[in-house]
């Protein structure tokens, strides 16, 4: 059985979807949801779905405490709207075991500060003809790890950033759990 821990900072629609997807899976289990924000909605979602969760502060994050906890408790780390940079110690201890989803077609519209509506506003303001999602491994730099999967859609003339956000959401819901499953089954 491969254990998965989800790290998230916000609403948690991806976390919820992942938890539901793996609920009756014999090979993969979501064991915990962790957040850097104690008031994050994702923690309520985890409770409702009967998945253990806790929040942590920067001290816990920067020290070896989180790393040690992760080493004991998980095989894979899934970032689902998690906004802090992952410490080097965690990256080195989990090679090709940390997966992020980004709401744009990397390498475009990635990097520090490029999250949520900031991404979609930039896409619309620059009159991009396409946008999409990128699922990738995590390395020391924001949004620069090896790409695992991308899926794009057409940005139509007149589409607002909110329209783009909705299309992204649909693609995330359709693809993220499936790609996580594929990676884990292939990599072990
Ligand atoms: C998603 O759009 C994801 O691509 C990005 O952060 C957002 C998280 O949304 N990394 P939610 O908290 O899962 O609803």
């Amino acid at each position: 059985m491969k254990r998965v821990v989800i790290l998230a900072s916000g609403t948690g629609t991806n976390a919820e979807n992942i938890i539901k997807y793996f609920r009756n899976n014999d090979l993969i289990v979501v064991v915990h949801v962790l957040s850097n924000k104690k008031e994050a909605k994702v923690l309520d979602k985890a409770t409702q779905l009967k998945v253990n969760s806790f929040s942590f502060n920067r001290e816990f994050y920067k020290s070896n405490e989180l790393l040690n906890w992760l080493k004991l408790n998980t095989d894979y780390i899934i970032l689902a709207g998690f906004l802090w940079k992952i410490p080097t110690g965690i990256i080195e201890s989990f090679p090709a075991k940390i997966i992020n989803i980004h709401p744009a077609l990397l390498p475009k519209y990635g990097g520090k500060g490029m999250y949520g509506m900031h991404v979609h506003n930039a896409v619309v303001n620059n009159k991009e003809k396409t946008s999409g999602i990128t699922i990738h491994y995590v390395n020391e730099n924001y949004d620069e790890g090896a790409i695992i999967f991308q899926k794009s859609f057409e940005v139509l003339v007149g589409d607002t950033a909110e329209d783009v956000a909705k299309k992204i959401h649909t693609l995330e819901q359709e693809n993220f759990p499936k790609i996580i499953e594929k990676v884990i089954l292939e990599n072990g």
Side-chain angles (χ1 to χ4, degrees):
M1 192 68 126
K2 292 292 173 190
R3 298 158 303 167
V4 168
V5 163
I6 299 174
L7 265 59
S9 306
T11 318
T13 57
N14 280 283
E16 178 177 11
N17 189 37
I18 294 164
I19 291 167
K20 287 181 176 165
Y21 185 89
F22 289 114
R23 249 180 189 162
N24 298 311
N25 195 299
D26 294 336
L27 303 172
I28 298 166
V29 59
V30 177
V31 288
H32 251 91
V33 173
L34 273 47
S35 182
N36 58 315
K37 287 192 183 164
K38 61 175 184 302
E39 69 283 4
K41 290 211 176 74
V42 68
L43 294 173
D44 302 330
K45 290 207 164 85
T47 306
Q48 281 159 18
L49 294 163
K50 301 192 171 27
V51 172
N52 292 322
S53 66
F54 65 85
S55 64
F56 52 79
N57 59 21
R58 260 204 198 270
E59 205 185 331
F60 184 82
Y61 191 64
K62 292 273 178 197
S63 69
N64 281 336
E65 282 181 86
L66 178 61
L67 171 60
N68 292 337
W69 186 91
L70 288 166
K71 278 184 182 167
L72 285 177
N73 288 285
T74 198
D75 300 296
Y76 280 83
I77 301 166
I78 305 300
L79 309 185
F82 183 68
L83 296 180
W84 285 356
K85 199 165 177 179
I86 303 300
T88 315
I90 296 180
I91 289 175
E92 285 171 354
S93 300
F94 288 86
K97 298 276 159 78
I98 312 175
I99 301 170
N100 182 43
I101 188 161
H102 187 77
L105 296 173
L106 293 173
K108 280 184 153 187
Y109 302 105
K112 195 167 165 56
M114 270 295 163
Y115 62 90
M117 292 310 287
H118 298 292
V119 177
H120 313 314
N121 282 324
V123 165
V124 169
N125 289 340
N126 290 342
K127 302 194 172 18
E128 293 286 351
K129 294 202 163 35
T130 56
S131 190
I133 58 167
T134 303
I135 298 169
H136 64 96
Y137 292 114
V138 173
N139 68 9
E140 305 67 28
N141 301 318
Y142 272 119
D143 302 327
E144 287 184 15
I147 292 174
I148 301 166
F149 174 88
Q150 289 187 305
K151 187 132 192 181
S152 62
F153 60 85
E154 209 181 332
V155 180
L156 303 173
V157 175
D159 270 357
T160 63
E162 285 72 22
D163 295 328
V164 171
K166 273 187 204 144
K167 293 181 194 183
I168 294 279
H169 179 77
T170 303
L171 283 187
E172 291 185 343
Q173 296 283 305
E174 282 170 8
N175 293 286
F176 200 17
K178 283 188 208 162
I179 297 298
I180 294 168
E181 183 175 35
K182 189 165 179 282
V183 168
I184 296 178
L185 294 183
E186 279 174 10
N187 295 1

